[in-house]
Amino acid sequence: MSESLAAYAGRILGHVSIDEGTPRWIGKLVAYDGLMLEATGFPMPIGHGALIMDANGQSSRAEVVGFRGNTTLLMALDADAPHNPGARVEPDRQLSIVHVGDGLLGRVIGALGEPLDNLGPIITDEYWPLVGKMGNPLNRGRVTQPFDMGVRAINALLTAGVGQRIAIMAGSGVGKSVLMGQMIAGAKADVIVTGLIGERSREVTDFVETKISDDVRPKSVVVAVPADHPPVLRLRAAMRATAIAEYFRAKGKNVLLLIDSLTRIAHAQREVGLSLGEPPTIKGYPPSALGLIPRLVERAGIDIHSKGAITAIYTVLADGDDPDDPIVDTARAIVDGHIILSRSLAEQGVFPAIDLGKSLSRVMSDIISPGHRQAAAHLRRLWSVYEENRDLILMGAYRSGTDASIDEAINRHNDVLDFIRQGQNERIDLATSIATLMERFAV
């Protein structure tokens, strides 16, 4: 972006100037309830940042989230800040933009762009809007090229495309993070951006040290916000990770964006929405929580102008393994494919525990060859027939020779499971995955 930070911030903030010597709005804190603050004399737009000065002259950050009459409602970004009545509320224009550039590569940052990896300051010289740029839907290109994920079952049976949006759906402890690690290690991408939203701090450390290998680190950016941080920070982390991916896409890069997890982002928006008085709907989610998902997911895809692409993977936690959870349902409706992980397969020691019958890639038929399509359909048919007759087979009620398709499904069930199964540190490229599929399951 060629314009200066001052000019850019001034443009997106309208009448508020950041030039020294010009007037600016200074508000006053009049109420504080939990994470919600109320200020008067501070008519800033929603999403604008604020600095709240305490009695000791220290500042804490907040974000404008709504209005009530002439009172501005803000959500605190620093949960434990010592706010006092009548504190000064000043504009913070830095919260509306994301500092971007090659200096982010290889780094781990927080929701506000601060370095978390003890490697010193991050040097960047360009900017990108936190909420992205409104685009024309016709500027999104079609998915026509396969994307190598490094996982045989996905490459061969749920073939992903460059610019596709995919949701990985499962209950807790079924292997979502492990599968994400395999994708990061095996993906053929120029840049990999990972957003760890609402995870336990231990899991963030474990992910960075075990899933981001030395080969991958120079082209990766990790944005991490643990579960104990305020909800607005969790939301900003997801938007920051997406904004960073958009910047590299605008540079013509092939970007892999991984967000873990979409459910915790919706939980954060639920906290904000309920604090603002939104009516709860299904499972207590206000409308804004469900509306946030398509706004975030739609920012991924192919840019026909720069020729860059964001291939996005979103994990979705199915509360209680409920496939009809509202977040699962909303995500499944907006993405271009979904991968369902089965607890039953995980208990059998089959990893990645992909349930082929319930998983789908909506772009697969557009990017694979007829021979590949036939072999994949054959394997899926074996899986489907076995699952439909599982109870009869396990009870011993099925007599061999009664149905040829059931006989084949029984005889080849272990072959199917062996094809899905892949070691955590094993990488299988797209060409090898397809060749193995056609060799073993060609019609």
Side-chain angles (χ1 to χ4, degrees):
M1 185 175 296
S2 59
E3 63 184 327
S4 67
L5 173 59
Y8 174 74
R11 177 169 58 80
I12 64 174
L13 298 178
H15 66 279
V16 181
S17 171
I18 67 173
D19 294 333
E20 293 186 6
T22 58
R24 57 176 177 161
W25 293 105
I26 300 295
K28 182 172 70 172
L29 187 65
V30 296
Y32 178 38
D33 180 15
L35 294 178
M36 189 65 68
L37 303 99
E38 298 183 18
T40 57
F42 194 72
M44 296 292 105
I46 290 176
H48 195 279
L51 290 175
I52 302 173
M53 315 302 294
D54 63 24
N56 299 323
Q58 302 295 318
S59 64
S60 59
R61 285 179 162 180
E63 178 182 327
V64 177
V65 294
F67 305 98
R68 186 177 294 125
N70 293 325
T71 301
T72 301
L73 305 179
L74 305 101
M75 186 71 73
L77 300 182
D78 302 310
D80 301 321
H83 300 304
N84 58 289
R88 286 167 57 94
V89 182
E90 302 180 1
D92 181 8
R93 300 169 180 86
Q94 295 294 320
L95 284 183
S96 301
I97 59 175
V98 176
H99 294 256
V100 290
D102 290 341
L104 288 170
L105 297 176
R107 303 302 301 269
V108 181
I109 62 176
L112 301 178
E114 71 280 14
L116 302 179
D117 49 14
N118 298 318
L119 296 179
I122 298 172
I123 308 301
T124 56
D125 57 1
E126 296 187 77
Y127 310 93
W128 197 267
L130 181 68
V131 296
K133 298 180 179 180
M134 184 65 69
N136 185 332
L138 295 182
N139 290 337
R140 284 286 179 266
R142 293 181 59 241
V143 178
T144 57
Q145 298 296 323
F147 187 96
D148 190 350
M149 289 289 185
V151 180
R152 180 170 56 203
I154 297 176
N155 281 340
L157 304 171
L158 300 165
T159 311
V162 175
Q164 185 177 1
R165 292 85 52 86
I166 304 170
I168 301 177
M169 303 172 176
S172 57
V174 186
K176 296 187 299 299
S177 296
V178 173
L179 181 56
M180 282 182 62
Q182 289 180 295
M183 290 177 174
I184 290 174
K188 299 295 188 277
D190 300 322
V191 177
I192 299 175
V193 181
T194 305
L196 302 177
I197 316 299
E199 294 284 354
R200 294 181 287 272
S201 296
R202 178 196 61 78
E203 289 186 334
V204 173
T205 302
D206 179 77
F207 191 95
V208 171
E209 293 184 358
T210 64
K211 306 298 189 299
I212 308 294
S213 65
D214 292 339
D215 294 337
V216 173
R217 191 177 301 275
K219 63 177 181 180
S220 71
V221 183
V222 178
V223 183
V225 174
D228 61 341
H229 283 48
V232 173
L233 283 182
R234 284 174 264 154
L235 294 174
R236 297 186 75 87
M239 291 189 284
R240 181 173 292 271
T242 306
I244 292 170
E246 288 177 317
Y247 163 77
F248 283 110
R249 177 181 62 188
K251 295 294 184 180
K253 303 291 187 181
N254 181 13
V255 182
L256 175 63
L257 171 66
L258 302 105
I259 299 291
D260 184 17
S261 73
L262 210 55
T263 304
R264 294 189 178 97
I265 295 170
H267 288 175
Q269 183 60 42
R270 178 170 61 183
E271 292 182 49
V272 174
L274 294 178
S275 297
L276 288 171
E278 283 191 67
T281 55
I282 304 173
K283 286 196 173 182
Y285 288 104
S288 63
L290 301 180
L292 175 65
I293 294 175
R295 293 204 308 273
L296 195 64
V297 172
E298 278 296 299
R299 292 171 65 178
I302 298 173
D303 183 353
I304 63 173
H305 296 300
S306 69
K307 308 302 180 183
I310 299 175
T311 305
I313 309 291
Y314 303 93
T315 67
V316 183
L317 180 64
D319 292 334
D321 290 344
D322 181 10
D324 297 321
D325 180 85
I327 302 302
V328 173
D329 226 15
T330 302
R332 185 164 43 208
I334 194 66
V335 294
D336 305 316
H338 54 270
I339 299 171
I340 307 295
L341 301 186
S342 165
R343 188 173 298 277
S344 174
L345 286 176
E347 291 170 349
Q348 297 175 44
V350 178
F351 291 99
I354 299 174
D355 188 331
L356 293 180
K358 297 178 181 178
S359 302
L360 175 70
S361 173
R362 297 180 183 175
V363 305
M364 180 176 174
S365 60
D366 297 330
I367 57 178
I368 62 175
S369 66
H372 180 186
R373 187 180 299 110
Q374 291 175 358
H378 183 210
L379 189 151
R380 280 181 166 275
R381 186 163 53 249
L382 294 175
W383 176 278
S384 177
V385 169
Y386 186 90
E387 291 300 316
E388 288 174 0
N389 297 277
R390 171 183 286 274
D391 292 341
L392 291 176
I393 296 169
L394 296 181
M395 288 188 302
Y398 174 74
R399 294 181 57 185
S400 179
T402 303
D403 186 294
S405 61
I406 298 178
D407 290 341
E408 184 184 12
I410 295 173
N411 294 334
R412 304 212 60 186
H413 186 61
N414 286 334
D415 293 338
V416 173
L417 294 182
D418 287 341
F419 187 83
I420 297 173
R421 190 182 283 112
Q422 181 173 326
Q424 182 173 342
N425 298 319
E426 188 179 3
R427 309 289 173 253
I428 304 176
D429 63 31
L430 180 66
T432 303
S433 301
I434 296 172
T436 305
L437 173 71
M438 298 182 68
E439 177 184 345
R440 298 183 187 178
F441 296 95
V443 179

